[in-house]
């Protein structure tokens, strides 16, 4: 090859690389998987929730019938949270809208989000919701997952200094009280934690409950959650992380436990506890100790869970990092794993399949706005990133 041809080939290769480099800053800020999170990126997640919060069907209902009178469509049984395929997904879909409007109050999607929330969170609708969960035979309804997300919605509204938020929170009061009462009666009777990677996981629910208790300054509820967490998990050692994930997990049993314990233990005590609980965390910057999960079929409602697992792992790892000393030697490995899980999880939030689209946006927003990490809770940042 002549020198002239070599120079021409170099230019041809360089031009697209230069064009890509020129595009990178804008695309990075709009792409949460690249570390940025702005109003443009938030709009993508808002659209997922707006498309489902009032979409009644398909609907996977978990409903105890006490008589023929209980045979009714979801919009009659639970008129606020009848969309998004199931009750708990509707609850955190509404939380997603509140979180995003609070974070980006002037974004183009904010008006549509407020309208959707206004349509759902009426006093009449929520009175019926409270009546429903207090119905005969429904003591275990959405316990703890859906009820914990409901408390997260209430906490988000309580932290938001906005007239509409105050009105919606007032309307939610009967349902909020019912949820706190239900969980308060249940926790003392729970003899052992549920350690699975799906909705019934005890650790994840306790984490959301504790954050709610701190926001509301409900010391009695906070003490109950703290004492329950220690009762269940303080003596645990050598969590079998190599057994994860199960084929339908969207929560990590090991990381979920660590994520609640970092909330209830002092820093030094937590760092020591974590060493005994997860001794497999390396002290080198390597993400391979926690490989990302890959969903074999994102159109399958259960197999799509694995896309959410990467998102929840990422925020749990960041929560663990937030509770460790700055000089802890495990930080590089934890951060590397968090970054890898984050990138894989956010890349899967496409909305292509309703089976994942109706809920993955909520997990993506929980991660990208750093919800559950104390420094970020009182004032969500539009530019949050790890």
């Amino acid at each position: 090859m002549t020198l002239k041809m070599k120079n021409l080939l170099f230019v041809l290769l360089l031009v697209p690389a230069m064009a890509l480099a020129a595009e990178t800053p804008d695309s990075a800020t709009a792409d949460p998987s690249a570390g940025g999170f702005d109003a443009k990126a938030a709009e993508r997640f808002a659209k997922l929730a707006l498309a489902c919060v009032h979409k009644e069907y398909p609907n996977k209902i978990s409903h105890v019938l006490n008589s023929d009178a209980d045979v009714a469509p979801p919009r009659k049984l639970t008129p606020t949270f009848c969309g998004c395929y199931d009750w708990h997904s509707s609850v955190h879909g509404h939380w997603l809208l509140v979180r995003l409007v609070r974070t980006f109050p002037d974004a183009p999607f904010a008006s549509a989000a407020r309208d959707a929330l206004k349509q759902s969170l009426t006093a009449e609708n929520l009175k019926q919701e409270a009546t429903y969960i207090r119905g005969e035979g429904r003591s275990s309804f959405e316990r703890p997952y859906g009820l914990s997300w409901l408390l997260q919605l209430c906490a988000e509204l309580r932290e938001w200094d906005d007239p509409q938020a105050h009105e919606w929170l007032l309307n939610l009061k009967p349902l909020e009280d019912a949820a706190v009462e239900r969980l308060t009666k249940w926790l003392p009777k729970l003899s052992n934690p549920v350690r699975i990677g799906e909705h019934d996981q005890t650790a994840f629910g306790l984490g959301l409950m504790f954050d709610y208790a701190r926001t509301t300054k409900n010391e009695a509820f906070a003490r109950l959650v703290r004492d329950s967490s220690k009762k269940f998990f303080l003596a645990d050692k050598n969590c079998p992380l190599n057994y994860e994930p199960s084929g339908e997990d969207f929560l990590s049993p090991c990381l979920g436990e660590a994520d609640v314990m970092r909330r209830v233990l002092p820093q030094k005590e937590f760092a020591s506890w974590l060493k005994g609980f997860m001794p497999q965390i390396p002290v080198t910057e390597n993400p391979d100790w926690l490989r990302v999960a890959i969903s074999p079929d994102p159109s399958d409602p259960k197999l799509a869970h694995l896309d959410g697992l990467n998102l929840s792992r990422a925020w749990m790892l960041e929560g663990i990092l937030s509770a460790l000393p700055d000089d802890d030697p495990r930080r590089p490995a934890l951060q590397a794993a968090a970054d890898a899980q984050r990138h894989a999880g956010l890349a899967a939030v496409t909305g292509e399949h309703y089976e994942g689209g109706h809920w993955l946006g909520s997990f993506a927003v929980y991660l990208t706005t750093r919800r559950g990490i104390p420094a970020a809770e009182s004032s969500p940042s539009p530019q949050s990133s790890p």
Side-chain angles (χ1 to χ4, degrees):
M1 183 182 292
T2 67
L3 179 62
K4 185 175 181 179
M5 290 180 65
K6 288 182 178 179
N7 289 339
L8 177 61
L9 179 60
F10 176 78
V11 171
L12 291 173
L13 292 171
L14 182 62
V15 168
M18 292 173 63
L20 179 62
E23 293 173 359
T24 299
D26 290 339
S27 62
T29 56
D31 180 8
S33 67
F37 187 60
D38 61 8
K40 183 177 179 181
E43 184 170 15
R44 180 161 67 93
F45 299 136
K47 285 180 177 178
L48 291 174
L50 288 169
C52 83
V53 288
H54 298 134
K55 180 180 173 67
E56 188 176 5
Y57 297 107
N59 201 299
K60 182 178 179 292
I61 192 168
S62 177
H63 176 45
V64 173
L65 295 94
N66 295 305
S67 70
D68 287 358
D70 286 337
V71 180
R75 65 182 178 276
K76 296 292 186 182
L77 299 169
T78 57
T80 294
F81 304 121
C82 62
C84 290
Y85 193 72
D86 48 35
W87 194 87
H88 51 260
S89 297
S90 183
V91 170
H92 58 65
H94 285 80
W95 167 84
L96 180 156
L97 293 177
V98 173
R99 182 71 171 171
L100 289 182
V101 176
R102 211 185 137 204
T103 310
F104 301 98
D106 300 318
F109 62 80
S111 178
R114 283 183 179 271
D115 288 344
L117 291 164
K118 182 179 179 180
Q119 180 180 336
S120 294
L121 301 175
T122 67
E124 182 181 1
N125 283 354
L126 288 160
K127 183 179 179 181
Q128 168 58 23
E129 291 275 354
T131 298
Y132 178 82
I133 73 165
R134 291 184 183 277
E136 184 70 24
R138 300 192 183 117
S139 61
S140 63
F141 176 75
E142 290 289 350
R143 187 191 71 194
Y145 185 79
L147 297 182
S148 300
W149 269 112
L150 176 72
L151 297 185
Q152 186 69 200
L153 171 61
C154 294
E156 195 75 53
L157 288 169
R158 187 169 273 103
E159 294 170 5
W160 187 15
D161 186 14
D162 178 88
Q164 279 190 308
H166 298 162
E167 178 185 349
W168 295 330
L169 183 61
L170 183 63
N171 293 344
L172 272 160
K173 189 69 163 57
L175 187 58
E176 178 183 7
D177 289 346
V180 173
E181 178 185 329
R182 178 71 50 80
L183 293 168
T184 299
K185 289 182 177 179
W186 168 66
L187 277 174
K189 294 187 291 184
L190 186 64
S191 59
N192 295 283
V194 179
R195 302 178 186 271
I196 65 173
E198 294 189 272
H199 308 85
D200 288 341
Q201 185 187 118
T202 303
F204 176 72
L206 288 171
L208 292 189
M209 291 179 221
F210 192 71
D211 290 347
Y212 164 83
R214 288 190 299 187
T215 295
T216 58
K217 296 180 172 55
N218 186 334
E219 295 301 328
F221 192 48
R223 184 167 54 253
L224 173 62
V225 174
R226 183 186 296 108
D227 291 347
S228 297
S229 300
K230 291 181 178 180
K231 176 182 74 173
F232 293 143
F233 306 129
L234 190 59
D236 284 359
K237 304 285 186 183
N238 298 311
C239 188
L241 189 63
N242 59 311
Y243 287 2
E244 297 185 22
S246 295
E248 298 176 353
D249 282 357
F250 63 89
L251 299 169
S252 163
C254 288
L255 293 180
E257 184 171 331
D259 196 36
V260 70
M261 293 304 281
R262 60 95 178 169
R263 288 168 161 97
V264 303
L265 294 178
Q267 184 182 76
K268 185 176 181 180
E269 187 177 350
F270 172 69
S272 177
W273 175 88
L274 185 65
K275 185 176 182 179
F277 180 65
M278 294 183 67
Q280 58 273 81
I281 301 175
V283 293
T284 57
E285 188 175 353
N286 184 349
D288 292 343
W289 64 277
L290 187 68
R291 295 186 181 277
V292 299
I294 299 174
S295 170
D297 183 2
S299 68
D300 184 291
K302 284 285 193 177
L303 299 180
H305 280 181
L306 290 174
D307 287 331
L309 175 64
N310 293 323
L311 294 170
S312 65
R313 277 176 168 180
W315 84 54
M316 289 172 180
L317 288 163
E318 290 180 4
I320 293 166
L321 278 162
S322 75
L324 291 175
D326 291 340
D327 61 352
D328 192 292
R330 295 166 292 186
R331 293 186 67 88
L334 288 164
Q335 188 64 67
D339 292 344
Q341 299 287 328
R342 174 193 180 100
H343 184 81
L346 290 173
V349 189
T350 64
E352 180 181 358
H353 304 289
Y354 190 63
E355 289 78 4
H358 75 275
W359 66 279
L360 285 173
S362 299
F363 274 43
V365 169
Y366 192 97
L367 168 63
T368 51
T369 63
R370 295 175 66 80
R371 188 59 173 168
I373 297 177
E377 283 181 351
S378 59
S379 179
S381 167
Q383 298 297 334
S384 292
S385 62

